[in-house]
């Protein structure tokens, strides 16, 4: 029976286009999943999207579409990106999937019924973009410690998860499982910064927006992001739903790969939730570093994101995959530069690997018509190379098991470089001059092919397409390229036949490329707001259109909503004799006092909605594109209560 290996990426927010930082974690997870499959494991590689929350709701409102339409559009782009990056996930979960929603309702209710969730009141500092409440002591210079933006005072009725109850058990668990969180520095950070100062209970429901999983027994509340998001790792296996039946087989996960800023959620909240659910904990949480650009974490708001699509278009998917995992140690931050990318491609891929393959295949072609004779003559000069080749798989495995992708690749390239040096040492072109040396020449070329076979088969998890091309050129079978064969020298038949192919990686002209790349990428100093394209909405019937009640309203009063940067509160005369209150997120575009007396249009048959604790009965119509917004205003002569038709 095969052993199982369950690995996950975080589920990504589909709020913006994903950049190379997100790609980094997914490529690392993919390499690990492919490596384990190669070893014969039954792998479950899970990724997906984290689609609920206020930020998505606001973005959808701003784009004039429903939150579901908004996320559908972005998620389809994420699927395209993973296809482009050759990501081999086994399952893709969306937190809007019905089965996940069903499980979340059950998990929340179970935790409530057993007393791990209780109702209380939350007062705290709230960061709207991050959807996070913070304690005073967690703020950095009074601002959100994650994104550095302003926080607001907020208070609301909410449900809480009794995180504090699990503090001792968590510490005991870490002590008993010192490898649970890696790299080890991250564990100290968790214990010293979060657990020792005292764990506070966690707010797990919200009432100020409704784009989330409703709390079954209290429908004014939606489940707040972390219970919804973290549970994906078990709901995707069928926990609490009938969609899948893999929970027994794969849980607990072997490793969750996560970026360092969400280590806290994965190493404190998630284990505590699992303890409350009486489920085993994942084997490991690995907190990888950030890919930075110009010294800063990439983020769309800073305008320093690097687009993987541009890079793949120019250099191919494998060059980018290789670069990401070779250039930066996985546990630490790394600074992305175009120069580093191009040098890496030129030195390792074009010069070392590409040249070794093309020279070797060309020599087998030139000296033996493409097929080696079977006679062999060994020489002590071969010993060092052969020992390296025989030991490579063990060294590689040791690094891969530690998630040290960079070191695993360094080991492979040590063999590739040594093989290139071996060509110079053995000078096959000199051997070729004398017919009597042909058996020795064949031995040299065979040794080179074997090094290439072992080295490039171990590159498969990192560069699947390149490894396949190399395999085809050296005439190796799939089995000769497998994990077992990688541990044995001499797997290719003695009379191996090669097939000449194209160069794996053409050399890149650094200067020319840098100039072109600068033009193709978003420059750091000029943030460019990219609006997602407006999705085409589904067609509706005339009858459906007629159901929308659009009423002309006069603004009686208008004011800013306290503690909200976005909302204006309107009292409107809609012709009914009773004032109508509507909240609209347009404070950025209009001053409240300028709107009094204006004639606007509102949709007046929508269900009432609560925003920042206040009711809104309808929606004002406006037109929006990019960073411009205009309220739909009519001539003052149009009476209040008139209908648009
Ligand atoms: N939705 C949450 C995760 C929930 S998991 C139960 C989230 N999403 S995210 O889209 O903001 O980030 C997803 C992952 O991408 C995180 O692990 C984050 O660290 C990673 N990265 C985002 N930018 C990154 C870099 N510039 N570099 C490396 N990883 C980065 O957090």
């Amino acid at each position: 029976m095969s052993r199982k290996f369950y690995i996950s990426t975080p589920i990504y927010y589909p709020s913006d286009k994903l950049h190379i930082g997100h790609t980094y974690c997914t490529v690392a997870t993919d390499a690990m999943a492919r490596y384990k499959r190669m070893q014969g494991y039954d792998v479950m590689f899970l990724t997906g999207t984290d689609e609920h929350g206020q930020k998505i709701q606001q973005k959808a409102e701003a784009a004039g579409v429903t939150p579901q339409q908004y996320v559908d559009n972005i998620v389809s782009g994420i699927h395209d990106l993973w296809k482009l990056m050759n990501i081999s996930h086994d399952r893709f979960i969306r937190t809007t999937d019905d089965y996940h929603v069903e499980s979340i309702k059950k998990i929340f209710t179970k935790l409530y019924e057993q007393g791990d969730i209780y109702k209380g009141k939350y007062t705290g500092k709230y960061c709207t973009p991050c959807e996070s409440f913070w304690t005073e002591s967690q703020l950095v210079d009074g601002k959100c410690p994650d994104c550095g933006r302003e926080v607001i005072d907020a208070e609301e009725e909410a449900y809480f998860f009794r995180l504090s109850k699990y503090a001792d058990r968590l510490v005991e668990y870490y002590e008993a499982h010192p490898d649970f969180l890696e790299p080890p520095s991250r564990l100290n950070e968790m214990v010293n910064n979060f657990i020792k100062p005292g764990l506070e209970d966690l707010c797990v429901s919200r009432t100020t927006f409704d784009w989330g999983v409703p709390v079954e027994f209290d429908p004014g509340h939606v489940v707040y992001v972390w219970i919804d998001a973290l549970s994906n790792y078990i709901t995707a296996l069928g926990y609490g739903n009938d969609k899948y039946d893999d929970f027994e087989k794969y849980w607990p996960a072997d490793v969750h790969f996560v970026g360092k800023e969400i280590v806290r959620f994965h190493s404190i909240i998630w284990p505590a939730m699992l303890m409350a659910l009486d489920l085993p904990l994942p084997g490991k949480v690995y907190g990888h570093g950030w890919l930075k650009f110009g010294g800063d974490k990439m983020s769309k708001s800073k305008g320093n994101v690097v687009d993987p699509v541009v890079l793949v278009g120019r250099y191919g998917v494998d060059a980018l995959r290789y670069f990401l995992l070779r250039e930066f140690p996985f546990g630490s931050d790394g600074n992305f530069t175009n120069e580093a990318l191009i040098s890496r491609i030129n030195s390792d891929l074009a010069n070392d690997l590409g040249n070794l393959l093309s020279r070797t295949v060309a020599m087998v072609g030139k000296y033996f018509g493409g097929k080696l004779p079977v006679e062999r003559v060994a020489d002590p000069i071969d010993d060092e190379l052969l020992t390296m080749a025989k030991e490579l798989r063990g060294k590689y495995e040791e690094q891969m098991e530690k998630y040290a992708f960079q070191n695993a690749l360094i080991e492979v390239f040590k063999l590739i470089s040594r093989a290139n040096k071996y060509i110079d040492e053995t000078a096959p072109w000199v051997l070729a001059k004398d017919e009597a040396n042909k058996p020795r020449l064949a031995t040299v070329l065979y040794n080179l092919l074997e090094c290439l076979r072992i080295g490039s088969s171990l590159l498969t998890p990192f560069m699947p397409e390149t490894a396949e091309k190399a395999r085809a050129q050296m005439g190796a079978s799939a089995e000769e390229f497998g994990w077992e064969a990688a541990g044995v020298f001499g797997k290719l038949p003695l009379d191996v036949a090669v097939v000449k192919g194209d160069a794996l990686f053409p050399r890149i002209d650094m200067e020319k490329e840098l100039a072109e790349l600068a033009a193709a990428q978003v420059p750091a100093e000029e943030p460019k707001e990219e609006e997602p394209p407006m999705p085409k909405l589904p067609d509706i019937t005339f009858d459906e259109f007629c159901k929308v009640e659009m009423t002309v309203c006069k603004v009686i009063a208008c004011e800013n909503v306290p503690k909200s940067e976005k909302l204006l509160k309107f009292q409107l005369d809609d012709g009914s004799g009773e004032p109508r209150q509507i909240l609209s997120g347009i404070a950025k575009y209009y001053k409240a006092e300028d709107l009094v007396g204006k004639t606007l249009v509102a949709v007046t048959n929508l269900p009432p909605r609560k925003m920042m604790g206040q009711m809104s009965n309808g929606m004002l119509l406006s037109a929006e594109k990019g960073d411009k917004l205009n309220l739909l205003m009519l001539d003052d002569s149009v009476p209040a209560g008139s209908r648009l038709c």
Side-chain angles (χ1 to χ4, degrees):
M1 215 179 84
S2 67
R3 297 158 296 173
K4 70 91 186 169
F5 186 76
Y6 178 18
I7 186 168
S8 64
T9 71
I11 45 172
Y12 297 93
Y13 291 128
S15 51
D16 291 321
K17 202 170 142 185
L18 297 192
H19 55 66
I20 205 164
H22 306 108
T23 307
Y24 178 50
C25 181
T26 314
V27 166
T29 314
D30 187 62
M32 199 64 204
R34 287 177 185 269
Y35 156 72
K36 284 288 172 186
R37 283 190 204 113
M38 197 173 167
Q39 287 186 320
Y41 281 78
D42 174 348
V43 171
M44 169 57 73
F45 166 8
L46 176 71
T47 188
T49 40
D50 185 359
E51 306 186 7
H52 290 127
Q54 190 170 13
K55 199 151 69 172
I56 299 279
Q57 184 164 336
Q58 287 168 343
K59 291 209 171 205
E61 269 164 22
V65 293
T66 66
Q68 190 65 55
Q69 287 165 337
Y70 184 83
V71 291
D72 284 351
N73 184 38
I74 298 195
V75 170
S76 99
I78 293 178
H79 278 293
D80 293 344
L81 178 61
W82 295 157
K83 199 162 172 219
L84 180 77
M85 293 307 303
N86 213 349
I87 301 301
S88 63
H89 50 278
D90 299 289
R91 203 157 284 173
F92 189 103
I93 185 168
R94 301 182 57 177
T95 54
T96 51
D97 285 335
D98 289 347
Y99 72 90
H100 174 81
V101 170
E102 180 194 338
S103 297
I104 294 304
K105 286 182 183 165
K106 286 188 194 154
I107 290 171
F108 200 95
T109 305
K110 175 177 162 54
L111 293 175
Y112 177 70
E113 284 173 353
Q114 70 189 38
D116 273 299
I117 285 180
Y118 62 92
K119 196 172 196 172
K121 194 161 237 174
Y122 198 93
T123 8
K125 302 285 177 190
Y126 186 67
C127 173
T128 311
C130 295
E131 293 170 5
S132 293
F133 269 106
W134 300 99
T135 58
E136 197 79 52
S137 63
Q138 287 170 329
L139 300 181
V140 175
D141 298 330
K143 300 203 169 130
C144 170
D146 271 357
C147 73
R149 279 179 270 207
E150 296 291 341
V151 289
I152 53 171
D153 286 313
E155 178 185 287
E156 65 180 34
E157 187 182 67
Y159 286 91
F160 288 82
F161 172 61
R162 284 190 204 281
L163 188 59
S164 55
K165 174 175 147 189
Y166 292 94
D168 293 343
R169 274 182 70 185
L170 284 170
V171 173
E172 276 166 32
Y173 190 85
Y174 301 151
E175 280 168 4
H177 302 85
D179 298 336
F180 170 67
L181 178 58
E182 282 195 55
S185 55
R186 308 230 188 268
L187 184 59
N188 303 336
E189 200 183 311
M190 291 304 117
V191 174
N192 295 334
N193 297 0
F194 296 105
I195 300 193
K196 280 199 183 145
L199 274 187
E200 289 178 26
D201 289 349
L202 181 78
C203 176
V204 290
S205 80
R206 311 282 291 132
T207 51
T208 46
F209 60 88
D210 52 19
W211 180 238
V213 179
V215 172
E216 249 186 338
F217 51 87
D218 196 350
H221 289 253
V222 290
V223 178
Y224 174 57
V225 64
W226 286 103
I227 284 203
D228 180 17
L230 289 163
S231 304
N232 92 87
Y233 301 125
I234 53 176
T235 64
L237 300 179
Y239 182 84
N241 64 71
D242 293 330
K243 168 89 176 165
Y244 296 110
D245 190 17
D246 295 319
F247 186 74
E248 296 300 324
K249 184 170 173 193
Y250 291 112
W251 191 257
D254 291 84
V255 62
H256 295 309
F257 276 180
V258 301
K260 62 180 188 179
E261 84 284 16
I262 56 171
V263 161
R264 178 165 72 102
F265 304 104
H266 285 79
S267 60
I268 297 179
I269 299 172
W270 181 223
M273 274 174 64
L274 289 166
M275 286 172 180
L277 292 170
D278 206 13
L279 294 175
L281 268 49
K284 190 183 295 297
V285 171
Y286 194 103
H288 65 77
W290 283 342
L291 220 57
K292 299 183 167 186
F293 192 77
D296 260 340
K297 185 182 181 216
M298 285 181 206
S299 89
K300 193 183 157 200
S301 55
K302 288 187 200 136
N304 65 348
V305 289
V306 175
D307 185 351
V309 178
V310 171
L311 300 177
V312 170
R314 301 180 82 86
Y315 312 117
V317 58
D318 279 359
L320 183 58
R321 287 174 62 111
Y322 173 76
F323 171 74
L324 290 174
L325 298 180
R326 168 62 186 83
E327 191 70 14
F328 315 106
F330 193 46
S332 321
D333 289 350
N335 200 36
F336 180 95
T337 66
N338 293 328
E339 286 90 331
L341 170 65
I342 296 168
S343 324
R344 207 35 92 190
I345 297 175
N346 279 344
S347 66
D348 298 7
L349 301 182
N351 281 3
D352 288 357
L353 176 65
N355 265 349
L356 179 65
L357 180 70
S358 60
R359 285 167 86 191
T360 307
V361 169
M363 288 190 287
V364 178
K366 185 168 168 195
Y367 303 135
F368 296 106
K371 189 174 165 112
L372 288 182
V374 296
E375 253 184 288
R376 294 287 177 269
V377 175
D379 187 293
I381 207 171
D382 305 339
D383 293 351
E384 190 184 313
L385 180 73
L386 267 52
T387 307
M388 277 179 87
K390 287 174 195 163
E391 289 177 351
L392 178 62
R393 195 187 75 168
K395 291 186 172 166
Y396 169 94
E397 184 176 18
E398 194 186 326
Q399 298 302 333
M400 290 298 279
E401 291 301 317
K402 292 192 281 192
Y403 308 102
F405 303 111
Q406 186 187 43
N407 291 345
L409 287 169
I410 288 174
E411 291 298 340
V412 174
F413 276 80
K414 274 188 203 161
L415 179 67
I416 306 283
S417 307
R418 185 66 191 81
N420 273 316
K421 192 170 153 214
Y422 177 78
I423 299 185
D424 299 336
E425 289 167 348
T426 52
W429 49 92
V430 176
L431 293 172
K433 286 184 184 149
D434 186 346
E435 197 58 29
N437 286 335
K438 282 286 172 91
R440 174 65 193 148
L441 177 60
T443 310
V444 166
L445 295 180
Y446 183 81
N447 289 344
L448 288 170
L449 283 174
E450 274 297 282
C451 289
L452 272 162
R453 180 186 62 80
I454 292 174
S456 43
S457 66
L458 294 176
L459 289 176
T460 309
F462 297 88
M463 299 194 282
E465 283 178 4
T466 303
E468 183 52 29
K469 283 185 201 158
R471 186 188 71 74
Q473 290 199 32
M474 66 186 80
S477 67
E479 196 201 320
E480 287 152 9
F481 235 61
W483 180 253
E484 287 312 317
V488 183
F489 193 90
K491 273 279 168 182
L492 284 174
L494 290 175
D495 62 346
V496 57
V498 301
V499 183
K500 195 157 171 34
D502 293 336
L504 294 179
F505 293 94
R507 247 194 99 74
I508 299 169
D509 178 335
M510 171 80 87
E511 248 177 61
K512 183 169 160 276
E513 270 310 300
L514 287 179
E516 289 184 18
L517 265 180
Q521 286 171 334
V522 182
E525 55 287 355
E526 276 178 45
K528 201 163 78 183
E529 268 298 307
E530 258 180 69
E531 282 303 315
M534 287 282 186
K536 163 89 182 79
L537 298 180
D539 291 342
I540 53 169
T541 62
F542 184 70
D543 285 350
E544 280 169 327
F545 170 72
C546 291
K547 287 185 193 155
V548 184
E549 186 182 85
M550 290 183 280
T551 311
V552 176
C553 299
K554 304 270 178 192
V555 182
I556 310 166
C558 181
E559 61 181 11
N560 287 75
V561 172
K563 296 175 190 157
S564 167
E565 287 172 15
K566 293 193 166 172
L567 290 177
L568 291 182
K569 180 164 77 175
F570 291 82
Q571 302 303 330
L572 301 160
D573 171 8
D574 61 5
S576 65
E578 287 294 316
R580 173 183 288 271
Q581 175 167 301
I582 290 184
L583 271 69
S584 180
I586 56 170
K588 205 166 104 189
Y589 307 97
Y590 289 97
K591 282 197 189 128
E593 59 270 27
D594 293 347
L595 293 172
V596 177
K598 298 285 185 214
T599 305
L600 308 179
V601 180
V603 178
T604 47
N605 60 344
L606 284 166
R609 260 182 64 193
K610 211 171 179 189
M611 296 157 93
M612 294 296 286
Q614 310 217 30
M615 291 313 293
S616 179
N617 299 303
M619 192 179 88
L620 289 173
L621 292 187
S622 58
E624 193 179 12
K625 183 137 205 279
D627 55 4
K628 297 229 165 9
L629 180 141
N630 294 84
L631 274 171
L632 184 59
M633 290 192 198
L634 299 181
D635 194 305
D636 289 347
S637 63
V638 187
S642 310
R643 286 277 162 78
L644 257 68
C645 50

